[in-house]
Amino acid sequence: MGATRTTAFVLYPGLTPLDLVGPLQVMSVLERFAPECRAIVVGERVEPMETDAGISIVPQATFEEVPEPRVVVVPGGGSPTIRQMGNEVVLDYLRRVADRAEVVASVCTGALLLAAAGLLEGRRATTHWGYHALLERLGATYVPERWVDDPPFLTSAGVSAGIDMGLELAARVADVDRARLVQLGIEYDPRPPFGPIDWSTVDRDVLTPLAESSVRTELADRPHLQRRLLPEG
């Protein structure tokens, strides 16, 4: 058995549970096949944090207790995630761990936190389609794919895409064979009742005004961020 390979999942108030739990489940199951791989949920404080689904989740450790994970995963959400773009405790942790991590990953709008920390400048990345304009205004190049690899960054699109990203992550920290075992173990073989999304019919800008409204409300005390995220005039 090799050295422990820790994957830290960043928890903060108001995130979308599946953004966290989807890839967390993948990496937790991976531990059965690769005991050297360890998944842990970290937060600013060890206390219950509400999510946007009405349940609370408690981190297992603080940021200070997991200072050098091999991998870090940042989940997303709606307005509460926008609010966290002004949380220097979270952003400083992301900057510190990104210096040494092998992979820095995000799910959905978690990419906005990486971008707010200055980590995606000039990088190819993805996020939830409704927030792509904000991502680009922070210096990233939005790529409308399920997940995007720009080492060491591995970003994924909205919510359920985090499971896809999690399986790719499992293959990297262990190997493809064990990642396939995880996929089989969790029976990840999606067949949505209404078929796949026809992205050619989706207006990716339709939610931009809503995203900008969240910026105005949640970052009212961060004018420097507002100037970057909101169009002039």
Side-chain angles (χ1 to χ4, degrees):
M1 183 186 302
T4 300
R5 303 171 66 86
T6 300
T7 298
F9 289 81
V10 176
L11 177 63
Y12 54 85
L15 57 66
T16 297
L18 187 56
D19 281 16
L20 170 72
V21 175
L24 175 62
Q25 188 67 51
V26 169
M27 299 305 288
S28 296
V29 173
L30 180 65
E31 290 185 33
R32 304 175 192 174
F33 308 114
E36 72 276 12
C37 297
R38 175 190 179 219
I40 186 168
V41 178
V42 300
E44 189 173 345
R45 295 172 297 277
V46 177
E47 63 183 30
M49 297 188 189
E50 293 185 357
T51 69
D52 65 10
I55 62 172
S56 295
I57 302 175
V58 183
Q60 297 160 282
T62 65
F63 294 150
E64 290 74 19
E65 291 172 319
V66 188
E68 296 186 16
R70 300 286 287 274
V71 177
V72 61
V73 179
V74 187
S79 292
T81 301
I82 300 295
R83 186 180 310 126
Q84 292 299 312
M85 293 170 70
N87 185 340
E88 286 300 324
V89 175
V90 171
L91 300 186
D92 284 346
Y93 180 69
L94 297 180
R95 294 183 190 109
R96 291 198 308 271
V97 298
D99 280 342
R100 298 182 177 86
E102 293 179 5
V103 181
V104 180
S106 65
V107 183
C108 194
T109 53
L112 296 180
L113 297 184
L114 295 178
L119 299 173
L120 295 182
E121 188 79 31
R123 298 277 188 172
R124 298 168 66 255
T126 195
T127 187
H128 187 284
W129 60 268
Y131 294 80
H132 75 93
L134 301 188
L135 182 65
E136 292 207 311
R137 291 169 191 172
L138 290 172
T141 297
Y142 171 67
V143 181
E145 298 291 345
R146 190 75 168 161
W147 52 271
V148 173
D149 184 22
D150 191 341
F153 298 97
L154 182 64
T155 56
S156 60
V159 193
S160 64
I163 300 175
D164 297 44
M165 183 277 294
L167 289 167
E168 172 66 16
L169 189 58
R172 296 187 186 193
V173 299
D175 52 57
V176 171
D177 288 342
R178 284 181 286 185
R180 287 184 180 277
L181 282 174
V182 172
Q183 181 180 0
L184 179 61
I186 65 174
E187 292 195 45
Y188 183 61
D189 188 19
R191 298 178 187 180
F194 310 115
I197 296 171
D198 181 358
W199 287 103
S200 68
T201 67
V202 176
D203 178 1
R204 294 178 187 267
D205 296 316
V206 71
L207 293 183
T208 297
L210 181 62
E212 291 173 350
S213 177
S214 292
V215 170
R216 292 186 181 94
T217 301
E218 304 298 344
L219 296 176
D221 58 344
R222 296 291 189 274
H224 64 290
L225 264 177
Q226 287 196 337
R227 285 192 293 271
R228 295 189 67 187
L229 291 166
L230 297 175
E232 296 182 3

